[in-house]
Amino acid sequence: MKTYVKKIDLPKEISDVLKILNDNGFEAYVAGGAVRNFLLGRKIDDYDITTNATPDKVKKLFKKSFDTGIKHGTVTVVTKNYNVEVTTYRVDKDYKDHRRPENVEFTKNLENDLARRDFTINALVYNPKEGIKDAFCGIEDLKAKRIKAVNDANLRFYEDALRILRGIRFSLTLGFEIEDSTLNAMNNNAKYLMNISVERIKEEFTKILLSEHFERIEAVLKTDVFKNIIPDIYNLDKDSILKIKSASNNSCVKWAVFIYLTNKKNCDEILRRYKFSNQEKKKIRFFIKNSDFAFCDDKVKLKLFMSENLEFIEDFNLYMKSLGKYFPYKLYKNVLKNKEPFNIKMLDIDGSDIKKIVSDDKIIGKVLQHLLDCVIENPDYNKKEKLKVKAEEYIWKLNHTQK
């Protein structure tokens, strides 16, 4: 175990949790991602603590706490600004579902706890009194920009197949290379990803699509890692990979670009397979459906499009840009700025006004739609008196056509 004398500026609340544990005779360290991100100069979103204090001892020391994964030794300590997961040093026992250990055994030895972790860069711990402790050369791998499994890579991924996707995500997020034996082990154990829920697959793959260095996916595409879970990814070429990388940092936009470039004909099946929410389905379907529409700077056509599709247009513009396709965004913003009518609600007349002219409820909707078509063509018509005249003319025409 190497120790590096280095100071991490922890939030006071996190330092206080460590201090309370230390003052009561327990070891305690900030673990994993917080240490890694500090050394990389990246934002730290949360802090996890590892300790030799058992969960019951932790709960006695911190009254504001609740059980998170008590079976696996985790108690969440509540401070003013953080929910801090405090986990007892442990050794994981048999993994029967290639995801979580059936049970764990608490240990007093820090190195035993670190040995169960996924990657060397996540097996770093820190305490203000001692500095950074590194049992598996994680700092060397950080400097070398390398993703490497802790100890036996095949065992790490056999235990928990989701670690395969996590490792790929770290590679693409940090811009690190996956070390050869680790990549080979990912490939060897990829079949176990079939045991992982589609919700978790989707969650991790979304983060992969959103990663800063998506171009590094090329190295993974030389393996069969995605063969059983996201086979469409093998349809990507270099140009498509760059389009996904440059796409707006928006999960629906990224997924829509991915689906369009890999298997747009089966969009509905993909959305069903990965259990997208109804809102996500609606949005992505809209993107794919309108991808190949030949937009031009025609205000009337644009307003007709806006009348039915306003909800997603801002993100649709980002999506079209990502594909290198044209959408008249400036014209769209101009229509909004000038408050030019493009839907029935924006008419200076409503159904109750039309009912004074015609009593047949079935006709009212047709009349309003006709009036909208008129004001889309000519916004100057959007005045109540003018619209009444237009309505009367249209109703007369309808009555005489029917006769």
Side-chain angles (χ1 to χ4, degrees), residues 97-109:
D97 60 358
H98 303 285
R99 178 67 188 100
R100 295 185 184 281
E102 286 292 300
N103 53 69
V104 302
E105 185 178 285
F106 297 145
T107 176
K108 296 292 183 183
N109 187 289

Side-chain angles (χ1 to χ4, degrees), residues 23 36 74 77 127 134 139 219 267 310 312 360:
D23 289 350
R36 178 197 71 228
T74 301
V77 172
N127 182 296
D134 179 7
I139 288 181
C267 175
L310 188 66
F312 301 132
D360 189 344

Side-chain angles (χ1 to χ4, degrees), residues 272-287:
R272 184 201 62 76
R273 186 193 316 158
Y274 300 112
K275 298 187 178 180
F276 283 81
S277 69
N278 289 335
Q279 183 68 0
E280 288 172 327
K281 287 177 183 175
K282 186 179 177 184
K283 194 172 189 178
I284 293 171
R285 281 186 186 125
F286 168 74
F287 290 170

Side-chain angles (χ1 to χ4, degrees), residues 95 115 150-161 163 185 189:
Y95 285 76
V150 169
N151 289 332
D152 184 344
N154 276 297
L155 181 57
R156 292 286 81 79
F157 302 132
Y158 176 84
E159 291 170 337
D160 180 358
R163 288 170 173 165
N189 292 275

Side-chain angles (χ1 to χ4, degrees), residues 171-176 211-217 245:
S171 169
L172 274 57
T173 299
L174 301 175
F176 284 16
S211 60
E212 300 161 44
H213 301 275
F214 187 73
E215 74 281 357
R216 287 188 173 270
I217 200 71
K245 179 183 176 178

